[in-house]
């Protein structure tokens, strides 16, 4: 495992542990059990290690795509002035978040892509550790769909600033079991209450609030739901499944795809 992967695991563990006392003091959902949190915490090094193990492959494919498409316009900028670095990182974060919004939305709307995401939404006691509750198939999907963007934008600084913020830090905060609304900032920056709506079991909250960082992207595409004061719904799948954590984290998506395939092959009923 690389030093960068180990550092990310350490930072992630630190955030989950640091947020826990706040979750206990100001819980969105009181009296949560500890078992799910422990399972997520143990799973976290596995999925982070997997993501870093696939990184060299991603970079290699992106490099080959760039070489194979020499006329492809690129938008790589490597500024040095602090203000330019900040503005470029912000622009990259908005591009990245818009891309994430659409991949995330596709995962919810497509029966073929939903199996990659169901594990994440099966969390009934959402907390900071839920951010790490992601199936490896979801990571592979994001990598494959991200390749064209990496080819066009490049992987150089200051992109890593936005990437680290979105993928490694902010995600733990927005999943935290904290009773915290952002008031007038709600349409501009995602917080725990905004994202809890996305994980809600209630029908009025389904397919809402997809953006990981910028809610105004949901506003732009018609999927924004502004939570009312004190609105902290129960989370989890609309239809519960009797599947254990280990199965969900490993073979469950493949079973779902098998069932879809069998349904397609089944002759129509007369």
């Amino acid at each position: 495992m690389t030093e960068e992967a180990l550092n990310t695991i350490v930072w992630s563990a630190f955030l989950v542990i640091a947020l826990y006392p706040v979750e206990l003091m100001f819980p969105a959902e009181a009296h949560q059990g500890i078992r799910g949190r422990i399972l997520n915490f143990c799973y976290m090094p596995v999925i982070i290690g997997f993501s870093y193990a696939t990184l060299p492959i991603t970079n290699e494919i992106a490099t080959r795509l760039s070489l194979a498409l020499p006329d492809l316009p690129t938008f790589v900028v490597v500024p040095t002035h602090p203000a330019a670095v900040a503005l470029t990182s912000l622009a990259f974060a908005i591009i990245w978040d818009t891309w994430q919004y659409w991949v995330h939305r596709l995962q919810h709307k497509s029966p073929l892509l939903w199996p990659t995401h169901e594990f994440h939404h099966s969390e009934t006691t959402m907390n900071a550790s839920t951010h790490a509750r992601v199936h490896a198939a979801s990571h592979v999907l994001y990598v494959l769909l991200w390749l064209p963007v990496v080819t066009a934008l490049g992987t150089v600084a200051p992109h890593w600033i936005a990437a680290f913020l979105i993928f490694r830090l902010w995600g733990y905060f927005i999943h935290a079991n904290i009773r915290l609304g952002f008031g007038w900032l709600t349409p501009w920056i995602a917080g725990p209450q905004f994202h809890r709506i996305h994980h809600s079991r209630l029908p009025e909250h389904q397919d809402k609030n997809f953006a990981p960082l910028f809610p105004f992207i949901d506003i732009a595409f018609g999927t924004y739901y502004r939570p009312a004061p004190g609105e902290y719904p129960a989370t989890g799948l609309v239809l519960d499944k009797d599947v254990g954590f280990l199965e969900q984290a490993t073979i469950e998506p493949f079973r779902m795809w098998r069932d879809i395939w069998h349904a397609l092959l089944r002759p129509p009923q007369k």
Side-chain angles (χ1 to χ4, degrees):
M1 187 174 295
T2 66
E3 182 179 352
E4 187 178 5
L6 288 172
N7 286 338
T8 302
I9 291 170
V10 169
W11 269 105
S12 300
F14 170 77
L15 283 170
V16 171
I17 294 170
L19 285 167
Y20 187 45
V22 185
E23 291 178 310
L24 290 175
M25 287 187 289
F26 309 101
E29 177 187 17
H31 312 299
Q32 281 189 351
I34 193 70
R35 181 176 181 273
R37 189 185 300 268
I38 293 173
L39 288 172
N40 291 342
F41 194 80
C42 293
Y43 177 72
M44 184 167 58
V46 176
I47 191 61
I48 293 175
F50 178 83
S51 68
Y52 276 96
T54 59
L55 192 59
I57 301 172
T58 307
N59 291 338
E60 177 66 20
I61 296 175
T63 301
R64 290 181 180 272
L65 281 174
S66 299
L67 294 174
L69 303 169
D71 297 327
L72 184 73
T74 58
F75 307 95
V76 177
V77 179
V78 189
T80 55
H81 191 278
V85 170
L87 288 174
T88 307
S89 296
L90 177 61
F92 181 76
I94 292 173
I95 293 170
W96 197 331
D97 211 44
T98 303
W99 166 81
Q100 283 195 104
Y101 167 91
W102 280 109
V103 177
H104 190 185
R105 188 168 173 177
L106 281 172
Q107 284 181 297
H108 278 257
K109 302 304 290 185
S110 168
L112 287 176
L113 299 185
W114 172 245
T116 69
H117 194 49
E118 187 186 72
F119 177 45
H120 183 65
H121 273 270
S122 65
E123 180 73 273
T124 57
T125 56
M126 194 172 83
N127 58 80
S129 70
T130 305
H131 179 55
R133 191 186 177 101
V134 179
H135 197 279
S138 180
H139 174 74
V140 171
L141 174 69
Y142 270 75
V143 166
L144 290 174
L145 296 182
W146 177 240
L147 279 171
V149 187
V150 170
T151 304
L153 294 178
T155 57
V156 296
H159 303 171
W160 68 268
I161 301 172
F164 193 75
L165 175 65
I166 294 172
F167 279 116
R168 303 306 180 198
L169 299 183
W170 199 255
Y172 293 100
F173 173 65
I174 64 173
H175 286 93
N177 181 40
I178 300 175
R179 184 167 289 270
L180 176 64
F182 277 7
W184 66 270
L185 281 174
T186 301
W188 299 102
I189 189 74
Q193 188 185 28
F194 168 84
H195 194 67
R196 189 176 186 86
I197 294 296
H198 177 69
H199 280 259
S200 170
R201 299 167 60 100
L202 299 179
E204 62 267 31
H205 297 152
Q206 299 306 300
D207 297 328
K208 299 294 183 183
N209 296 3
F210 289 104
L213 193 60
F214 299 120
F216 57 79
I217 296 173
D218 280 286
I219 294 174
F221 295 113
T223 53
Y224 177 69
Y225 181 99
R226 179 160 187 164
E231 188 173 16
Y232 294 90
T235 62
L237 299 173
V238 175
L239 299 175
D240 290 323
K241 296 180 69 172
D242 187 19
V243 181
F245 183 95
L246 185 59
E247 291 175 288
Q248 288 178 320
T250 53
I251 64 173
E252 180 60 14
F254 302 99
R255 288 198 298 216
M256 295 172 71
W257 285 320
R258 178 203 60 192
D259 293 343
I260 292 171
W261 177 250
H262 287 172
L264 291 173
L265 295 179
R266 190 177 302 129
Q269 297 292 327
K270 293 182 179 181

